[in-house]
């Protein structure tokens, strides 16, 4: 599909939802640190993290946020969506071994501009919210 064909596709409807699930590994955190150049020891150093309020290493907040991006770019609205804005609130730490489900839901559409607003949320394997926010994309 070419970009021009992609823009001709129908807009999603309010209430449409999509989700993806991933278990966060130590390798994910190390790779994200290299990619982002964020080498904060709270993410990478067991001894340092043990003395933190979390008691152990945590994933980068933006690594969790990137799971939302995966849903937006692959599932809803999907390929061709252009990320325009994103807000995040980080609610709980994500630890190595946590299984995170990132979900999005269409909350508003401006059809004339092909703008879609979505609530964005991530929960851990216990159903506890770890991230919430809102995204705007152009379809």
């Amino acid at each position: 599909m070419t970009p021009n064909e992609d823009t001709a596709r129908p807009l999603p409807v309010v209430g449409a939802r999509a989700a993806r699930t991933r278990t966060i590994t130590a390798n994910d955190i190390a790779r994200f640190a290299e990619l982002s150049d964020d080498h904060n020891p709270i993410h990478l150093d067991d001894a340092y993290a043990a003395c933190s309020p979390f008691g152990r290493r945590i994933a980068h907040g933006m690594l969790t946020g990137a799971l939302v991006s995966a849903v937006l770019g692959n599932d809803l609205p999907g390929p061709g969506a252009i990320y325009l804005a994103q807000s995040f609130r980080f609610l709980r730490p994500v630890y190595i071994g946590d299984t995170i489900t990132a979900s999005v839901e269409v909350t508003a559409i401006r059809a004339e501009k092909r703008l879609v607003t979505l609530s964005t949320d991530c929960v851990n394997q216990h159903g506890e919210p770890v991230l919430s926010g809102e995204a705007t994309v152009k379809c």
Side-chain angles (χ1 to χ4, degrees):
M1 182 179 323
T2 68
N4 287 340
E5 291 173 305
D6 194 41
T7 57
R9 68 187 166 130
L11 290 169
V13 297
V14 171
R17 295 183 56 84
R20 285 184 173 236
T21 300
R22 180 181 182 94
T23 299
I24 303 300
T25 67
N27 188 50
D28 291 334
I29 294 170
R31 289 173 37 208
F32 191 85
E34 286 304 311
L35 180 65
S36 66
D37 207 23
D38 179 350
H39 299 281
N40 184 332
I42 195 76
H43 307 303
L44 303 169
D45 185 315
D46 287 323
Y48 181 92
C51 296
S52 77
F54 305 111
R56 56 188 161 139
R57 290 170 52 196
I58 60 170
H60 300 75
M62 293 309 292
L63 172 55
T64 306
L67 300 176
V68 170
S69 179
V71 179
L72 294 172
N74 292 300
D75 305 310
L76 181 66
I82 300 167
Y83 228 146
L84 298 177
Q86 176 73 63
S87 65
F88 286 135
R89 288 185 308 126
F90 301 101
L91 306 172
R92 282 188 177 77
V94 172
Y95 298 104
I96 295 168
D98 279 354
T99 299
I100 303 301
T101 299
S103 61
V104 303
E105 180 177 358
V106 175
T107 58
I109 296 172
R110 289 185 57 196
E112 72 284 1
K113 296 206 180 257
R114 298 192 61 84
L115 296 177
V116 178
T117 303
L118 306 98
S119 65
T120 59
D121 299 288
C122 293
V123 298
N124 63 19
Q125 67 274 16
H126 306 295
E128 299 167 327
V130 298
L131 175 151
S132 72
E134 183 177 84
T136 302
V137 299
K138 185 170 181 70
C139 296

